Amino acid sequence: MANLLGDEVTPFFVWGMYSEKEKPVQQYEILRTTINDSTVVNIYDHPNTDTRFYLSTPLAYYKRIKDNNNQDPTISFLQSKLQHRYAQIRFLERSLFNTGPQQAAFLNWYARYLQQVTGQPVRSLQIDVVKAHYTDKALVTDAVYPFEKWERP
Amino acid sequence: MGKAVTHINFYTPWQQTRIARVVFALLLTSLIWSFFSGNLVHQLQQPVLKYPYVDLTYWVMHWFGIPEFITTHFWVACLFDLALFTFCILPLLYPGKRVFIWAFIILYFIYFITFNTFGAHHTNHKIGWLMIAVPFTAANYKTFNFLWRGLRYFLLFIWADAFLWKFFRFSWLHPDQALLILKKNAAALLYYEPNSWKAGLYQWALQHPGWINAAYLSGIVMEGLFLIGFFTYKYDRYLLLLSILLPVGFWLIADANFVELMVLNCTLVNFHKFFVRVQ
């Protein structure tokens, strides 16, 4: 029943596997991280997909939070679904979602993780957003703009 | 040889022991791979962003603060990983000791939740590794056989479910569905490694969208074929082949990783052929 409704409660997953209709996109977004103003992090340098997952997905989620006025998108989602009843689960926010402390600590964690997987001391990070579009042959970069900057305290 | 109960050729306790060793050897290999890639709990560097989404299992785990407690205390994380390895190795040595297997499942479950929630994406990643150990908790070989067959149905359900969702969402009729998936998933690879062989494949696919869309439709048909497995065991060898082809196809076409699901393919293997006791 949960599967039919599209709800997931581990280990009862919905195995959609790209069943959702994809909408055409004009511009794609790639997050590019530069370590110590010199080394661009290429996630494909790491053969283990788990490492690529940890290098890319938390950063992408952090950007989603920032784009959502510093509010965890899951909170926004639940607020829109539950309306006034959201107040009944508000007490769970601190234990279940990413509020101020997690957001403030994120770049420190990202620097630590990068230091471990690259084996390179990380003194600073520059994260840029790359906007790109497809021609019928290749991906073409349109613009690059800064998103976040971090320096070791 | 196995003992026949109804139409199922049961694995004997001796064969069960050997299958357990195969499965736990695979599990150990995956843990060693995680260790050398820096993805065990103590190597996650005390991650902060979590993503329990609206999954009640994750909510309960976070409510009790279990993932946070393990990851924020480095020595607890080290002990946790040590225990995970220990209880993966012990069933290899003593496959009959169910307490070791239960311990492994509990630890791996915590690892599964911790890894995925701090990965900030609600995913079924590593579920195959978690589920494959469950049948070995059975108290007798008959229960083991039923659980093993149950796990086979779980695998069939995964692919059949993927088919049904695509079929009833009409994504098979959606124009350029496969091409749009490829464009979304391949953007990073095309940006970082435009000269790699895989980027070359994607660039070719961009120019020949018909082929990529045809591959997507073929994949849907392959997923649909798993429905047959609910009615007969006769075609398991072909389903085994498909359950290898599909994750490889996802990886090749969509740069998506379903490879770890392949551990569940063990349930489609006829181990009677490999483990024959000489009388």
PDB file of all heavy atoms in Angstrom, chain A residues 3 10 17-19 22 32 44 48-50 54 98 109 113 116 134, chain B residues 37 39 43-44 50 55 57 115 125 165-166 169 174 183 216 257:
ATOM      1  N   ASN A   3       3.837   1.467  -1.032  1.00  0.00           N
ATOM      2  CA  ASN A   3       4.504   1.537  -2.321  1.00  0.00           C
ATOM      3  C   ASN A   3       3.611   2.232  -3.344  1.00  0.00           C
ATOM      4  O   ASN A   3       4.059   3.077  -4.112  1.00  0.00           O
ATOM      5  CB  ASN A   3       4.845   0.111  -2.780  1.00  0.00           C
ATOM      6  CG  ASN A   3       5.858   0.127  -3.900  1.00  0.00           C
ATOM      7  OD1 ASN A   3       5.492   0.344  -5.041  1.00  0.00           O
ATOM      8  ND2 ASN A   3       7.125  -0.072  -3.561  1.00  0.00           N
ATOM      9  N   THR A  10      11.976   2.632   5.329  1.00  0.00           N
ATOM     10  CA  THR A  10      13.040   1.635   5.203  1.00  0.00           C
ATOM     11  C   THR A  10      12.672   0.371   5.969  1.00  0.00           C
ATOM     12  O   THR A  10      12.255   0.470   7.119  1.00  0.00           O
ATOM     13  CB  THR A  10      14.359   2.220   5.762  1.00  0.00           C
ATOM     14  OG1 THR A  10      14.658   3.394   5.004  1.00  0.00           O
ATOM     15  CG2 THR A  10      15.505   1.249   5.662  1.00  0.00           C
ATOM     16  N   MET A  17      13.182   4.003  -9.931  1.00  0.00           N
ATOM     17  CA  MET A  17      14.323   3.917 -10.849  1.00  0.00           C
ATOM     18  C   MET A  17      14.103   4.725 -12.125  1.00  0.00           C
ATOM     19  O   MET A  17      14.003   4.172 -13.207  1.00  0.00           O
ATOM     20  CB  MET A  17      14.653   2.472 -11.179  1.00  0.00           C
ATOM     21  CG  MET A  17      15.153   1.677  -9.997  1.00  0.00           C
ATOM     22  SD  MET A  17      15.760   0.080 -10.509  1.00  0.00           S
ATOM     23  CE  MET A  17      16.240  -0.633  -8.954  1.00  0.00           C
ATOM     24  N   TYR A  18      14.028   6.030 -11.981  1.00  0.00           N
ATOM     25  CA  TYR A  18      13.879   6.953 -13.100  1.00  0.00           C
ATOM     26  C   TYR A  18      12.531   6.788 -13.823  1.00  0.00           C
ATOM     27  O   TYR A  18      12.455   6.889 -15.039  1.00  0.00           O
ATOM     28  CB  TYR A  18      15.054   6.820 -14.082  1.00  0.00           C
ATOM     29  CG  TYR A  18      16.357   7.170 -13.425  1.00  0.00           C
ATOM     30  CD1 TYR A  18      17.220   6.180 -12.953  1.00  0.00           C
ATOM     31  CD2 TYR A  18      16.701   8.495 -13.218  1.00  0.00           C
ATOM     32  CE1 TYR A  18      18.392   6.507 -12.301  1.00  0.00           C
ATOM     33  CE2 TYR A  18      17.873   8.828 -12.579  1.00  0.00           C
ATOM     34  CZ  TYR A  18      18.713   7.829 -12.129  1.00  0.00           C
ATOM     35  OH  TYR A  18      19.876   8.165 -11.495  1.00  0.00           O
ATOM     36  N   SER A  19      11.498   6.548 -13.030  1.00  0.00           N
ATOM     37  CA  SER A  19      10.162   6.453 -13.628  1.00  0.00           C
ATOM     38  C   SER A  19       9.493   7.826 -13.705  1.00  0.00           C
ATOM     39  O   SER A  19       8.553   8.010 -14.472  1.00  0.00           O
ATOM     40  CB  SER A  19       9.289   5.506 -12.805  1.00  0.00           C
ATOM     41  OG  SER A  19       9.131   6.003 -11.487  1.00  0.00           O
ATOM     42  N   GLU A  22      10.926  13.235 -16.764  1.00  0.00           N
ATOM     43  CA  GLU A  22      11.945  14.281 -16.697  1.00  0.00           C
ATOM     44  C   GLU A  22      11.492  15.510 -17.468  1.00  0.00           C
ATOM     45  O   GLU A  22      11.028  15.388 -18.608  1.00  0.00           O
ATOM     46  CB  GLU A  22      13.265  13.772 -17.296  1.00  0.00           C
ATOM     47  CG  GLU A  22      13.958  12.709 -16.468  1.00  0.00           C
ATOM     48  CD  GLU A  22      14.522  13.241 -15.161  1.00  0.00           C
ATOM     49  OE1 GLU A  22      14.882  14.426 -15.094  1.00  0.00           O
ATOM     50  OE2 GLU A  22      14.591  12.451 -14.192  1.00  0.00           O
ATOM     51  N   ARG A  32      31.372  23.372  -8.190  1.00  0.00           N
ATOM     52  CA  ARG A  32      32.813  23.140  -8.367  1.00  0.00           C
ATOM     53  C   ARG A  32      33.559  23.626  -7.130  1.00  0.00           C
ATOM     54  O   ARG A  32      33.410  24.779  -6.717  1.00  0.00           O
ATOM     55  CB  ARG A  32      33.299  23.899  -9.606  1.00  0.00           C
ATOM     56  CG  ARG A  32      34.763  23.641  -9.939  1.00  0.00           C
ATOM     57  CD  ARG A  32      35.190  24.448 -11.126  1.00  0.00           C
ATOM     58  NE  ARG A  32      35.270  25.865 -10.801  1.00  0.00           N
ATOM     59  CZ  ARG A  32      35.499  26.827 -11.696  1.00  0.00           C
ATOM     60  NH1 ARG A  32      35.645  26.519 -12.968  1.00  0.00           N
ATOM     61  NH2 ARG A  32      35.567  28.097 -11.334  1.00  0.00           N
ATOM     62  N   TYR A  44      35.355  12.472 -10.045  1.00  0.00           N
ATOM     63  CA  TYR A  44      35.607  11.251 -10.821  1.00  0.00           C
ATOM     64  C   TYR A  44      37.035  10.737 -10.663  1.00  0.00           C
ATOM     65  O   TYR A  44      37.387   9.698 -11.224  1.00  0.00           O
ATOM     66  CB  TYR A  44      35.245  11.480 -12.296  1.00  0.00           C
ATOM     67  CG  TYR A  44      33.751  11.657 -12.442  1.00  0.00           C
ATOM     68  CD1 TYR A  44      33.184  12.926 -12.454  1.00  0.00           C
ATOM     69  CD2 TYR A  44      32.900  10.559 -12.496  1.00  0.00           C
ATOM     70  CE1 TYR A  44      31.809  13.094 -12.545  1.00  0.00           C
ATOM     71  CE2 TYR A  44      31.530  10.713 -12.578  1.00  0.00           C
ATOM     72  CZ  TYR A  44      30.996  11.985 -12.599  1.00  0.00           C
ATOM     73  OH  TYR A  44      29.631  12.135 -12.666  1.00  0.00           O
ATOM     74  N   ASN A  48      35.500   4.935  -6.053  1.00  0.00           N
ATOM     75  CA  ASN A  48      34.371   4.450  -5.270  1.00  0.00           C
ATOM     76  C   ASN A  48      33.218   5.439  -5.357  1.00  0.00           C
ATOM     77  O   ASN A  48      33.361   6.612  -5.026  1.00  0.00           O
ATOM     78  CB  ASN A  48      34.800   4.258  -3.804  1.00  0.00           C
ATOM     79  CG  ASN A  48      33.749   3.503  -3.012  1.00  0.00           C
ATOM     80  OD1 ASN A  48      32.556   3.617  -3.265  1.00  0.00           O
ATOM     81  ND2 ASN A  48      34.204   2.714  -2.053  1.00  0.00           N
ATOM     82  N   THR A  49      32.059   4.949  -5.795  1.00  0.00           N
ATOM     83  CA  THR A  49      30.904   5.837  -5.951  1.00  0.00           C
ATOM     84  C   THR A  49      30.421   6.373  -4.594  1.00  0.00           C
ATOM     85  O   THR A  49      29.788   7.423  -4.551  1.00  0.00           O
ATOM     86  CB  THR A  49      29.741   5.126  -6.665  1.00  0.00           C
ATOM     87  OG1 THR A  49      29.503   3.895  -6.009  1.00  0.00           O
ATOM     88  CG2 THR A  49      30.052   4.885  -8.115  1.00  0.00           C
ATOM     89  N   ASP A  50      30.724   5.659  -3.510  1.00  0.00           N
ATOM     90  CA  ASP A  50      30.356   6.170  -2.175  1.00  0.00           C
ATOM     91  C   ASP A  50      31.100   7.479  -1.885  1.00  0.00           C
ATOM     92  O   ASP A  50      30.544   8.407  -1.311  1.00  0.00           O
ATOM     93  CB  ASP A  50      30.715   5.154  -1.081  1.00  0.00           C
ATOM     94  CG  ASP A  50      29.787   3.953  -1.111  1.00  0.00           C
ATOM     95  OD1 ASP A  50      28.833   3.955  -1.909  1.00  0.00           O
ATOM     96  OD2 ASP A  50      30.021   3.005  -0.333  1.00  0.00           O
ATOM     97  N   TYR A  54      29.516  11.209  -1.268  1.00  0.00           N
ATOM     98  CA  TYR A  54      29.763  12.089  -0.123  1.00  0.00           C
ATOM     99  C   TYR A  54      30.404  13.416  -0.533  1.00  0.00           C
ATOM    100  O   TYR A  54      30.274  14.405   0.175  1.00  0.00           O
ATOM    101  CB  TYR A  54      30.625  11.362   0.930  1.00  0.00           C
ATOM    102  CG  TYR A  54      29.764  10.867   2.069  1.00  0.00           C
ATOM    103  CD1 TYR A  54      28.902   9.792   1.875  1.00  0.00           C
ATOM    104  CD2 TYR A  54      29.767  11.492   3.302  1.00  0.00           C
ATOM    105  CE1 TYR A  54      28.074   9.364   2.890  1.00  0.00           C
ATOM    106  CE2 TYR A  54      28.946  11.069   4.324  1.00  0.00           C
ATOM    107  CZ  TYR A  54      28.099  10.001   4.121  1.00  0.00           C
ATOM    108  OH  TYR A  54      27.267   9.587   5.132  1.00  0.00           O
ATOM    109  N   ASN A  98      17.961  20.033   9.538  1.00  0.00           N
ATOM    110  CA  ASN A  98      19.183  20.842   9.595  1.00  0.00           C
ATOM    111  C   ASN A  98      18.823  22.288   9.906  1.00  0.00           C
ATOM    112  O   ASN A  98      18.339  23.011   9.028  1.00  0.00           O
ATOM    113  CB  ASN A  98      19.913  20.747   8.260  1.00  0.00           C
ATOM    114  CG  ASN A  98      20.275  19.317   7.942  1.00  0.00           C
ATOM    115  OD1 ASN A  98      21.065  18.698   8.648  1.00  0.00           O
ATOM    116  ND2 ASN A  98      19.671  18.763   6.909  1.00  0.00           N
ATOM    117  N   TRP A 109      33.027  20.644   8.116  1.00  0.00           N
ATOM    118  CA  TRP A 109      33.013  19.198   7.856  1.00  0.00           C
ATOM    119  C   TRP A 109      33.501  18.902   6.438  1.00  0.00           C
ATOM    120  O   TRP A 109      34.308  17.986   6.238  1.00  0.00           O
ATOM    121  CB  TRP A 109      31.597  18.614   8.012  1.00  0.00           C
ATOM    122  CG  TRP A 109      31.575  17.226   7.450  1.00  0.00           C
ATOM    123  CD1 TRP A 109      32.081  16.104   8.037  1.00  0.00           C
ATOM    124  CD2 TRP A 109      31.119  16.823   6.145  1.00  0.00           C
ATOM    125  NE1 TRP A 109      31.957  15.024   7.188  1.00  0.00           N
ATOM    126  CE2 TRP A 109      31.372  15.437   6.028  1.00  0.00           C
ATOM    127  CE3 TRP A 109      30.515  17.495   5.076  1.00  0.00           C
ATOM    128  CZ2 TRP A 109      31.038  14.714   4.880  1.00  0.00           C
ATOM    129  CZ3 TRP A 109      30.189  16.767   3.937  1.00  0.00           C
ATOM    130  CH2 TRP A 109      30.452  15.399   3.838  1.00  0.00           C
ATOM    131  N   TYR A 113      36.448  16.339   5.363  1.00  0.00           N
ATOM    132  CA  TYR A 113      36.240  15.165   4.505  1.00  0.00           C
ATOM    133  C   TYR A 113      37.126  15.251   3.250  1.00  0.00           C
ATOM    134  O   TYR A 113      37.733  14.260   2.842  1.00  0.00           O
ATOM    135  CB  TYR A 113      34.764  15.041   4.118  1.00  0.00           C
ATOM    136  CG  TYR A 113      34.461  13.746   3.413  1.00  0.00           C
ATOM    137  CD1 TYR A 113      34.478  12.534   4.114  1.00  0.00           C
ATOM    138  CD2 TYR A 113      34.195  13.704   2.046  1.00  0.00           C
ATOM    139  CE1 TYR A 113      34.227  11.334   3.477  1.00  0.00           C
ATOM    140  CE2 TYR A 113      33.938  12.509   1.396  1.00  0.00           C
ATOM    141  CZ  TYR A 113      33.950  11.326   2.121  1.00  0.00           C
ATOM    142  OH  TYR A 113      33.712  10.134   1.487  1.00  0.00           O
ATOM    143  N   GLN A 116      40.592  14.328   4.014  1.00  0.00           N
ATOM    144  CA  GLN A 116      40.797  12.877   4.122  1.00  0.00           C
ATOM    145  C   GLN A 116      40.854  12.205   2.761  1.00  0.00           C
ATOM    146  O   GLN A 116      41.753  11.408   2.491  1.00  0.00           O
ATOM    147  CB  GLN A 116      39.676  12.243   4.941  1.00  0.00           C
ATOM    148  CG  GLN A 116      39.879  10.732   5.048  1.00  0.00           C
ATOM    149  CD  GLN A 116      38.708  10.035   5.661  1.00  0.00           C
ATOM    150  OE1 GLN A 116      38.750   9.682   6.821  1.00  0.00           O
ATOM    151  NE2 GLN A 116      37.655   9.850   4.891  1.00  0.00           N
ATOM    152  N   TYR A 134      23.338  22.246 -22.894  1.00  0.00           N
ATOM    153  CA  TYR A 134      23.734  21.243 -23.883  1.00  0.00           C
ATOM    154  C   TYR A 134      23.487  21.762 -25.298  1.00  0.00           C
ATOM    155  O   TYR A 134      22.447  22.369 -25.570  1.00  0.00           O
ATOM    156  CB  TYR A 134      22.920  19.969 -23.708  1.00  0.00           C
ATOM    157  CG  TYR A 134      23.415  19.080 -22.588  1.00  0.00           C
ATOM    158  CD1 TYR A 134      22.833  19.131 -21.328  1.00  0.00           C
ATOM    159  CD2 TYR A 134      24.448  18.180 -22.803  1.00  0.00           C
ATOM    160  CE1 TYR A 134      23.275  18.316 -20.301  1.00  0.00           C
ATOM    161  CE2 TYR A 134      24.906  17.353 -21.779  1.00  0.00           C
ATOM    162  CZ  TYR A 134      24.313  17.426 -20.535  1.00  0.00           C
ATOM    163  OH  TYR A 134      24.759  16.615 -19.523  1.00  0.00           O
TER     164      TYR A 134
ATOM    165  N   SER B  37      38.296   3.214   0.720  1.00  0.00           N
ATOM    166  CA  SER B  37      37.761   4.420   0.082  1.00  0.00           C
ATOM    167  C   SER B  37      37.412   5.487   1.104  1.00  0.00           C
ATOM    168  O   SER B  37      36.942   6.570   0.732  1.00  0.00           O
ATOM    169  CB  SER B  37      36.498   4.070  -0.715  1.00  0.00           C
ATOM    170  OG  SER B  37      36.705   2.949  -1.503  1.00  0.00           O
ATOM    171  N   ASN B  39      35.068   5.366   3.699  1.00  0.00           N
ATOM    172  CA  ASN B  39      33.637   5.558   3.902  1.00  0.00           C
ATOM    173  C   ASN B  39      33.051   4.757   5.062  1.00  0.00           C
ATOM    174  O   ASN B  39      31.835   4.562   5.109  1.00  0.00           O
ATOM    175  CB  ASN B  39      32.882   5.222   2.614  1.00  0.00           C
ATOM    176  CG  ASN B  39      33.191   6.224   1.530  1.00  0.00           C
ATOM    177  OD1 ASN B  39      33.032   7.421   1.731  1.00  0.00           O
ATOM    178  ND2 ASN B  39      33.692   5.752   0.406  1.00  0.00           N
ATOM    179  N   GLN B  43      35.489   7.206   9.401  1.00  0.00           N
ATOM    180  CA  GLN B  43      36.179   7.969   8.360  1.00  0.00           C
ATOM    181  C   GLN B  43      35.309   9.088   7.781  1.00  0.00           C
ATOM    182  O   GLN B  43      35.781   9.833   6.920  1.00  0.00           O
ATOM    183  CB  GLN B  43      36.594   7.013   7.233  1.00  0.00           C
ATOM    184  CG  GLN B  43      37.606   5.962   7.683  1.00  0.00           C
ATOM    185  CD  GLN B  43      37.775   4.878   6.642  1.00  0.00           C
ATOM    186  OE1 GLN B  43      36.800   4.319   6.152  1.00  0.00           O
ATOM    187  NE2 GLN B  43      39.013   4.592   6.292  1.00  0.00           N
ATOM    188  N   LEU B  44      34.085   9.193   8.247  1.00  0.00           N
ATOM    189  CA  LEU B  44      33.167  10.194   7.679  1.00  0.00           C
ATOM    190  C   LEU B  44      33.420  11.596   8.228  1.00  0.00           C
ATOM    191  O   LEU B  44      32.756  12.544   7.806  1.00  0.00           O
ATOM    192  CB  LEU B  44      31.707   9.782   7.919  1.00  0.00           C
ATOM    193  CG  LEU B  44      31.251   8.510   7.194  1.00  0.00           C
ATOM    194  CD1 LEU B  44      29.785   8.215   7.510  1.00  0.00           C
ATOM    195  CD2 LEU B  44      31.439   8.622   5.686  1.00  0.00           C
ATOM    196  N   LYS B  50      22.029  16.113   7.756  1.00  0.00           N
ATOM    197  CA  LYS B  50      21.321  14.823   7.729  1.00  0.00           C
ATOM    198  C   LYS B  50      20.105  14.934   6.837  1.00  0.00           C
ATOM    199  O   LYS B  50      19.605  16.030   6.579  1.00  0.00           O
ATOM    200  CB  LYS B  50      20.928  14.418   9.137  1.00  0.00           C
ATOM    201  CG  LYS B  50      20.181  15.474   9.907  1.00  0.00           C
ATOM    202  CD  LYS B  50      20.182  15.157  11.384  1.00  0.00           C
ATOM    203  CE  LYS B  50      19.786  16.390  12.192  1.00  0.00           C
ATOM    204  NZ  LYS B  50      19.991  16.216  13.619  1.00  0.00           N
ATOM    205  N   ASP B  55      10.917   9.448   6.222  1.00  0.00           N
ATOM    206  CA  ASP B  55      11.019   8.003   6.435  1.00  0.00           C
ATOM    207  C   ASP B  55      11.028   7.755   7.956  1.00  0.00           C
ATOM    208  O   ASP B  55      11.965   8.165   8.653  1.00  0.00           O
ATOM    209  CB  ASP B  55      12.323   7.517   5.781  1.00  0.00           C
ATOM    210  CG  ASP B  55      12.499   6.009   5.865  1.00  0.00           C
ATOM    211  OD1 ASP B  55      12.041   5.412   6.862  1.00  0.00           O
ATOM    212  OD2 ASP B  55      13.097   5.438   4.945  1.00  0.00           O
ATOM    213  N   THR B  57      11.564   5.228   9.770  1.00  0.00           N
ATOM    214  CA  THR B  57      12.704   4.475  10.309  1.00  0.00           C
ATOM    215  C   THR B  57      13.856   5.433  10.621  1.00  0.00           C
ATOM    216  O   THR B  57      14.481   5.347  11.689  1.00  0.00           O
ATOM    217  CB  THR B  57      13.165   3.407   9.288  1.00  0.00           C
ATOM    218  OG1 THR B  57      12.027   2.645   8.904  1.00  0.00           O
ATOM    219  CG2 THR B  57      14.210   2.496   9.876  1.00  0.00           C
ATOM    220  N   PHE B 115      25.106   6.047   7.116  1.00  0.00           N
ATOM    221  CA  PHE B 115      25.754   6.385   5.848  1.00  0.00           C
ATOM    222  C   PHE B 115      24.804   7.163   4.935  1.00  0.00           C
ATOM    223  O   PHE B 115      25.168   8.188   4.363  1.00  0.00           O
ATOM    224  CB  PHE B 115      26.227   5.108   5.138  1.00  0.00           C
ATOM    225  CG  PHE B 115      26.933   5.387   3.852  1.00  0.00           C
ATOM    226  CD1 PHE B 115      28.281   5.677   3.843  1.00  0.00           C
ATOM    227  CD2 PHE B 115      26.244   5.393   2.647  1.00  0.00           C
ATOM    228  CE1 PHE B 115      28.936   5.971   2.650  1.00  0.00           C
ATOM    229  CE2 PHE B 115      26.881   5.686   1.462  1.00  0.00           C
ATOM    230  CZ  PHE B 115      28.235   5.971   1.466  1.00  0.00           C
ATOM    231  N   HIS B 125      20.636   2.811  -1.129  1.00  0.00           N
ATOM    232  CA  HIS B 125      22.002   2.340  -1.296  1.00  0.00           C
ATOM    233  C   HIS B 125      22.442   1.459  -0.120  1.00  0.00           C
ATOM    234  O   HIS B 125      22.256   1.847   1.025  1.00  0.00           O
ATOM    235  CB  HIS B 125      22.928   3.554  -1.417  1.00  0.00           C
ATOM    236  CG  HIS B 125      24.320   3.194  -1.782  1.00  0.00           C
ATOM    237  ND1 HIS B 125      24.624   2.398  -2.854  1.00  0.00           N
ATOM    238  CD2 HIS B 125      25.493   3.490  -1.206  1.00  0.00           C
ATOM    239  CE1 HIS B 125      25.918   2.223  -2.925  1.00  0.00           C
ATOM    240  NE2 HIS B 125      26.482   2.874  -1.943  1.00  0.00           N
ATOM    241  N   TRP B 165       6.156   1.039 -12.024  1.00  0.00           N
ATOM    242  CA  TRP B 165       6.154   2.493 -11.851  1.00  0.00           C
ATOM    243  C   TRP B 165       6.346   3.191 -13.196  1.00  0.00           C
ATOM    244  O   TRP B 165       5.682   4.178 -13.490  1.00  0.00           O
ATOM    245  CB  TRP B 165       7.243   2.929 -10.864  1.00  0.00           C
ATOM    246  CG  TRP B 165       6.768   2.862  -9.447  1.00  0.00           C
ATOM    247  CD1 TRP B 165       6.991   1.857  -8.563  1.00  0.00           C
ATOM    248  CD2 TRP B 165       5.959   3.826  -8.760  1.00  0.00           C
ATOM    249  NE1 TRP B 165       6.376   2.128  -7.359  1.00  0.00           N
ATOM    250  CE2 TRP B 165       5.737   3.339  -7.451  1.00  0.00           C
ATOM    251  CE3 TRP B 165       5.402   5.051  -9.107  1.00  0.00           C
ATOM    252  CZ2 TRP B 165       4.985   4.029  -6.507  1.00  0.00           C
ATOM    253  CZ3 TRP B 165       4.656   5.745  -8.166  1.00  0.00           C
ATOM    254  CH2 TRP B 165       4.450   5.233  -6.877  1.00  0.00           C
ATOM    255  N   LYS B 166       7.269   2.693 -14.000  1.00  0.00           N
ATOM    256  CA  LYS B 166       7.511   3.333 -15.303  1.00  0.00           C
ATOM    257  C   LYS B 166       6.296   3.153 -16.215  1.00  0.00           C
ATOM    258  O   LYS B 166       5.904   4.071 -16.930  1.00  0.00           O
ATOM    259  CB  LYS B 166       8.752   2.743 -15.961  1.00  0.00           C
ATOM    260  CG  LYS B 166      10.042   3.155 -15.286  1.00  0.00           C
ATOM    261  CD  LYS B 166      11.246   2.716 -16.076  1.00  0.00           C
ATOM    262  CE  LYS B 166      12.523   2.971 -15.306  1.00  0.00           C
ATOM    263  NZ  LYS B 166      12.911   1.875 -14.427  1.00  0.00           N
ATOM    264  N   ARG B 169       3.281   5.271 -14.877  1.00  0.00           N
ATOM    265  CA  ARG B 169       3.544   6.717 -14.946  1.00  0.00           C
ATOM    266  C   ARG B 169       3.701   7.189 -16.389  1.00  0.00           C
ATOM    267  O   ARG B 169       3.946   8.354 -16.628  1.00  0.00           O
ATOM    268  CB  ARG B 169       4.837   7.046 -14.186  1.00  0.00           C
ATOM    269  CG  ARG B 169       4.638   7.252 -12.708  1.00  0.00           C
ATOM    270  CD  ARG B 169       5.973   7.573 -12.051  1.00  0.00           C
ATOM    271  NE  ARG B 169       5.795   8.274 -10.804  1.00  0.00           N
ATOM    272  CZ  ARG B 169       6.781   8.593  -9.985  1.00  0.00           C
ATOM    273  NH1 ARG B 169       8.014   8.272 -10.293  1.00  0.00           N
ATOM    274  NH2 ARG B 169       6.544   9.223  -8.866  1.00  0.00           N
ATOM    275  N   HIS B 174       7.034   9.208 -22.550  1.00  0.00           N
ATOM    276  CA  HIS B 174       7.504  10.590 -22.401  1.00  0.00           C
ATOM    277  C   HIS B 174       8.633  10.872 -23.406  1.00  0.00           C
ATOM    278  O   HIS B 174       9.623  10.142 -23.429  1.00  0.00           O
ATOM    279  CB  HIS B 174       8.005  10.790 -20.966  1.00  0.00           C
ATOM    280  CG  HIS B 174       8.302  12.215 -20.634  1.00  0.00           C
ATOM    281  ND1 HIS B 174       7.365  13.209 -20.710  1.00  0.00           N
ATOM    282  CD2 HIS B 174       9.436  12.815 -20.213  1.00  0.00           C
ATOM    283  CE1 HIS B 174       7.910  14.354 -20.357  1.00  0.00           C
ATOM    284  NE2 HIS B 174       9.165  14.139 -20.053  1.00  0.00           N
ATOM    285  N   LYS B 183      21.222  13.686 -19.642  1.00  0.00           N
ATOM    286  CA  LYS B 183      21.715  15.069 -19.564  1.00  0.00           C
ATOM    287  C   LYS B 183      21.855  15.509 -18.108  1.00  0.00           C
ATOM    288  O   LYS B 183      22.814  16.183 -17.738  1.00  0.00           O
ATOM    289  CB  LYS B 183      20.762  16.010 -20.309  1.00  0.00           C
ATOM    290  CG  LYS B 183      20.916  15.959 -21.821  1.00  0.00           C
ATOM    291  CD  LYS B 183      19.953  16.932 -22.484  1.00  0.00           C
ATOM    292  CE  LYS B 183      20.218  17.046 -23.972  1.00  0.00           C
ATOM    293  NZ  LYS B 183      19.247  17.942 -24.632  1.00  0.00           N
ATOM    294  N   TYR B 216      16.587   2.759 -23.062  1.00  0.00           N
ATOM    295  CA  TYR B 216      15.706   2.953 -21.901  1.00  0.00           C
ATOM    296  C   TYR B 216      14.473   2.050 -22.014  1.00  0.00           C
ATOM    297  O   TYR B 216      14.089   1.368 -21.059  1.00  0.00           O
ATOM    298  CB  TYR B 216      15.285   4.426 -21.829  1.00  0.00           C
ATOM    299  CG  TYR B 216      14.366   4.778 -20.683  1.00  0.00           C
ATOM    300  CD1 TYR B 216      14.842   4.889 -19.383  1.00  0.00           C
ATOM    301  CD2 TYR B 216      13.009   5.015 -20.903  1.00  0.00           C
ATOM    302  CE1 TYR B 216      14.003   5.229 -18.333  1.00  0.00           C
ATOM    303  CE2 TYR B 216      12.155   5.352 -19.869  1.00  0.00           C
ATOM    304  CZ  TYR B 216      12.655   5.462 -18.580  1.00  0.00           C
ATOM    305  OH  TYR B 216      11.820   5.786 -17.544  1.00  0.00           O
ATOM    306  N   ASN B 257      24.265   4.356  -9.788  1.00  0.00           N
ATOM    307  CA  ASN B 257      24.844   3.162  -9.183  1.00  0.00           C
ATOM    308  C   ASN B 257      23.788   2.256  -8.533  1.00  0.00           C
ATOM    309  O   ASN B 257      23.276   2.562  -7.471  1.00  0.00           O
ATOM    310  CB  ASN B 257      25.869   3.590  -8.117  1.00  0.00           C
ATOM    311  CG  ASN B 257      26.502   2.406  -7.427  1.00  0.00           C
ATOM    312  OD1 ASN B 257      26.502   1.299  -7.968  1.00  0.00           O
ATOM    313  ND2 ASN B 257      27.025   2.619  -6.240  1.00  0.00           N
TER     314      ASN B 257
END
